[in-house]
């Protein structure tokens, strides 16, 4: 059996790579080891019948902003976005004090000013130039490597002084930006909470841009989720791929990427089946690429992959609830995401503890998609999830139940009566996450650390991070620029490199007409 190209892994980047190839007339097959497609994007009844939980990721500001997805007819294949009343709320104190991020600038600044008068105007002054040039900002942050056109457009939009400030932002700690922008501990905590979506400590260089960018995404694109569950994003991508003639095969574990004389020739599956192809795009982590290729990658490149660093471990809890979470804060009650963590002082104290162990009051990233999307649960019922990080050195088996208790106590602190509404829970520890998806190494849900050097050079310094030393073999996914989140950008970039090298005659493929859709 042979194809023009194979894609290993059916997550958003793998499917996007396959779509790009199929658009160019390639006969392409996506191989997925799991029993269902989607990678870290899927929806399941994890707790009780009728309660639809997003097993891994759930909220998609980068997908909503993605120029790659914007160019696809995904709505025709069933994808629709649901935007909650507030992108996120940051719970500041148990008396109901909170700050919200809204798509509307006025609503956001009013929320900030309610806790710290004058800080709303400070946020507007900082954010407004980027929001006005949002298309250029998006083209800078959501582009293949190296990003050139986006920064040029951003420079034209915000000027030389603004660009100097943007470069400074890339190097700043979030803690310094929070103190520079805001006078109040509540708004400072609001900004630091956004930084906690990355593994970089708020006191470390590079964390400021993560916090600022996520908030700017809220203004520019929102923080929506797919109607009915995250799995509908994958279903739409597969629908479009099949329309183009591509195929997806699940339960197909690739055990080896075969090459001869420095050129890829196909893959071997568990059980011994061989599938031939002159191009292979692997949506895998660096250590997996090393395992699949053996010694064929060469010493220097292999050594670089071996130095790739992963982020912290994660513990995630999903709940089936008898009603909505009874937040004291009205802002939290309408938000799709809630950052449960207190003011700036508490967030910084918690992150300091979490770098070494587990905090008694963990910082939580919590989602409650059923607030805006009642289709996810039976009438009157709700779903919610929360996750928190910790070091790999923790005995996560022994700490599993105690840490779930800490998580629920932390929610209860800001939403008295929460525990009384729990009908069932489902827990995924770091080991569970990796067993469910091999790309979540040690429970790292970010696909590798986002320390400043590794943000820019993923997975290693290279003019084209998608190419490998094996001709016809390409790498995509969260381990390549621009990193994690379900935006499809690196999949599109890797496939574009593959097509460009084909045009240069480096892989020896001939263009074929698209074939009829087939899925196995």
């Amino acid at each position: 059996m042979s194809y023009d190209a194979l894609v290993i892994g059916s997550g958003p980047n793998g499917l996007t790579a396959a779509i790009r190839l199929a658009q160019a007339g390639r006969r392409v097959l996506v191989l997925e080891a799991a029993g269902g497609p989607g990678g870290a994007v899927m929806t399941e009844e994890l707790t009780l019948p009728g309660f639809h939980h997003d097993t891994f990721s759930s909220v998609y500001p980068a997908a909503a902003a993605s120029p790659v997805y914007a160019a696809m007819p995904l709505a025709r294949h069933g994808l629709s976005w649901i935007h909650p009343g507030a992108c996120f709320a940051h719970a500041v104190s148990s008396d109901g004090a909170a700050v919200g991020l809204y798509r509307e600038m006025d609503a956001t600044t009013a929320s900030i000013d309610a806790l710290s008068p004058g800080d709303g105007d400070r946020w507007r002054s900082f954010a407004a130039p980027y929001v006005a040039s949002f298309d250029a900002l998006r083209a800078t942050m959501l582009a293949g490597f190296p990003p050139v056109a986006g920064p040029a457009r951003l420079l034209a939009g915000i000027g030389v002084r603004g660009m100097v400030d943007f470069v400074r932002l890339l190097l700043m700690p979030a803690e310094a930006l929070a103190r520079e922008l805001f006078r109040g501990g509540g708004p400072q905590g609001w900004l630091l909470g956004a930084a906690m979506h990355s593994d970089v400590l708020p006191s470390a260089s590079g964390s400021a841009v993560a916090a600022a960018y996520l908030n700017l995404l809220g203004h520019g694109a929102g923080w929506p989720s797919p109607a009915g569950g995250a799995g509908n994003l994958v279903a739409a991508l597969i629908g479009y791929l099949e329309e183009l003639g591509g195929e997806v095969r699940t339960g197909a574990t690739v055990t080896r990427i075969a090459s001869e004389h420095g050129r890829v020739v196909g893959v071997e599956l568990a059980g011994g089946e061989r599938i031939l192809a002159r191009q292979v795009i692997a949506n895998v982590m660096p250590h997996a690429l090393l395992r699949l290729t053996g010694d064929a990658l060469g010493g220097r490149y292999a050594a670089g992959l071996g130095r790739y660093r992963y982020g912290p471990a994660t513990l995630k809890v999903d709940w089936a609830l008898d009603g909505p979470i009874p937040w004291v804060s009205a802002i939290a009650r309408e938000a799709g995401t809630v950052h449960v963590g207190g003011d700036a002082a508490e967030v910084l104290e918690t992150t300091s503890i979490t770098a070494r162990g587990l905090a008694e009051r963990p910082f939580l990233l919590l989602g409650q998609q059923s607030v805006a999307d009642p289709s996810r649960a039976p009438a009157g019922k709700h779903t919610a999830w929360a996750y928190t990080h910790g070091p790999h050195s923790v005995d996560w088996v022994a700490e599993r139940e105690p840490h779930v208790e800490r998580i629920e106590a932390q929610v209860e602190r800001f939403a008295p009566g929460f525990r009384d509404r729990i009908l069932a829970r489902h827990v995924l520890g770091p080991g569970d996450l990796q067993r469910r998806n091999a790309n979540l190494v040690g429970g790292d849900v970010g696909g590798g650390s986002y320390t400043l050097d590794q943000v820019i050079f993923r997975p290693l310094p290279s003019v084209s991070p998608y190419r490998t030393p094996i001709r016809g073999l390409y790498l995509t996914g969260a381990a390549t620029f621009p990193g994690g989140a379900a935006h499809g950008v690196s999949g599109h970039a890797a496939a574009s490199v593959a097509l460009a090298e084909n045009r240069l005659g480096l892989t020896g493929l001939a263009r074929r007409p698209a074939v009829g859709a087939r899925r196995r």
Side-chain angles (χ1 to χ4, degrees):
M1 182 183 300
S2 66
Y3 289 82
D4 293 334
L6 303 172
V7 176
I8 302 172
S10 66
N13 278 302
L15 292 172
T16 303
I19 286 169
R20 178 76 177 92
L21 294 169
Q23 287 172 330
R26 304 296 186 262
R27 185 170 180 241
V28 59
L29 171 66
V30 180
L31 297 166
E32 171 58 54
V41 179
M42 62 175 59
T43 302
E44 300 175 285
E45 292 183 335
L46 295 175
T47 55
L48 297 172
F51 290 82
H52 301 284
H53 304 273
D54 294 334
T55 310
F56 306 106
S57 59
S58 189
V59 184
Y60 299 109
S66 171
V68 173
Y69 292 159
M72 296 182 187
L74 298 182
R76 192 173 73 227
H77 292 279
L79 178 66
S80 62
W81 295 109
I82 290 186
H83 291 267
C87 298
F88 76 78
H90 183 94
V92 175
S93 63
S94 58
D95 64 2
V99 181
L101 172 70
Y102 295 85
R103 296 179 75 184
E104 302 81 11
M105 181 67 73
D106 287 347
T108 302
T109 57
S111 173
I112 295 171
D113 277 336
L115 286 192
S116 182
D119 276 350
D121 285 340
R122 295 183 182 95
W123 173 251
R124 187 191 301 274
S125 296
F126 169 82
Y130 295 111
V131 175
S133 298
F134 183 74
D135 286 345
L137 177 67
R138 172 174 55 185
T140 300
M141 304 298 287
L142 291 175
F145 190 86
V148 176
R153 291 171 56 193
L154 188 60
L155 172 62
I158 64 178
V160 174
R161 177 61 183 273
M163 205 64 184
V164 170
D165 289 341
F166 179 70
V167 172
R168 178 171 170 263
L169 180 66
L170 294 174
L171 303 175
M172 286 182 75
E175 181 181 359
L177 179 64
R179 290 175 176 167
E180 184 174 295
L181 286 179
F182 302 124
R183 302 296 179 264
Q188 288 175 1
W190 172 80
L191 186 70
L192 295 176
M196 298 301 289
H197 286 258
S198 168
D199 70 298
V200 183
L201 293 175
S203 58
S205 295
S207 57
V209 69
Y213 176 56
L214 278 174
N215 286 1
L216 294 169
L217 276 176
H219 291 313
W223 281 37
S225 297
N232 287 330
L233 170 59
V234 169
L237 289 168
I238 290 176
Y240 183 41
L241 173 62
E242 291 181 338
E243 177 185 296
L244 295 168
E247 303 173 44
V248 177
R249 178 175 171 184
T250 58
T253 302
V254 175
T255 56
R256 188 170 75 92
I257 298 172
S259 61
E260 295 176 358
H261 309 296
R263 182 191 296 269
V264 76
V265 295
V267 304
E268 186 173 306
L269 304 184
E273 180 184 356
R274 296 196 70 184
I275 304 177
L276 302 179
R278 299 299 295 274
Q279 288 187 321
V280 173
I281 297 180
N283 182 11
V284 301
M285 288 292 107
H287 77 284
L289 189 67
L290 289 170
R291 175 176 51 80
L292 292 172
T293 54
D295 299 329
L297 286 172
R300 179 175 297 180
Y301 185 85
L305 290 186
R307 289 190 291 269
Y308 189 77
R309 303 184 303 278
Y310 293 95
T314 304
L315 187 141
K316 177 177 182 280
V317 187
D318 283 275
W319 296 284
L321 301 173
D322 198 30
I325 297 177
W327 302 104
V328 177
S329 162
I331 299 173
R333 292 196 293 270
E334 68 173 343
T337 300
V338 182
H339 298 160
V340 186
D343 63 11
E346 182 175 339
V347 173
L348 292 172
E349 180 183 8
T350 301
T351 57
S352 176
I353 295 170
T354 304
R356 308 184 304 273
L358 298 178
E360 189 64 31
R361 288 180 165 181
F363 180 91
L364 306 179
L365 296 167
L366 183 146
Q368 47 184 21
Q369 276 55 62
S370 60
V371 168
D373 183 3
S375 71
R376 291 172 177 249
K381 312 300 181 184
H382 282 267
T383 61
W385 55 265
Y387 72 80
T388 190
H389 297 308
H392 295 282
S393 58
V394 167
D395 183 345
W396 285 98
V397 175
E399 288 289 345
R400 179 189 181 99
E401 294 308 317
H403 210 48
V404 171
E405 287 290 323
R406 297 181 191 111
I407 288 171
E408 293 182 351
Q410 180 75 323
V411 180
E412 182 83 16
R413 175 185 163 202
F414 295 93
F418 164 70
R419 284 187 172 123
D420 295 336
R421 298 194 178 182
I422 298 174
L423 299 173
R425 69 175 58 80
H426 181 272
V427 182
L428 289 169
D432 304 313
L433 290 166
Q434 183 170 341
R435 280 187 290 274
R436 292 291 303 268
N437 186 324
N439 278 352
L440 305 181
V441 179
D444 170 17
V445 296
S449 176
Y450 288 85
T451 51
L452 188 57
D453 61 330
Q454 198 164 269
V455 167
I456 299 170
F457 299 113
R458 297 175 77 85
L460 45 72
S462 173
V463 173
S464 177
Y466 318 104
R467 298 180 69 250
T468 76
I470 300 174
R471 188 173 296 178
L473 175 62
Y474 307 90
L475 183 64
T476 187
T480 59
F481 190 88
H487 45 61
V489 171
S490 71
H492 185 272
S496 297
V497 171
L499 291 169
E501 294 198 339
N502 179 210
R503 287 193 295 270
L504 294 173
L506 299 179
T507 51
L509 290 179
R511 180 185 176 91
R512 300 185 185 186
V515 297
R518 185 158 58 98
R519 182 179 176 191
R520 292 164 45 190

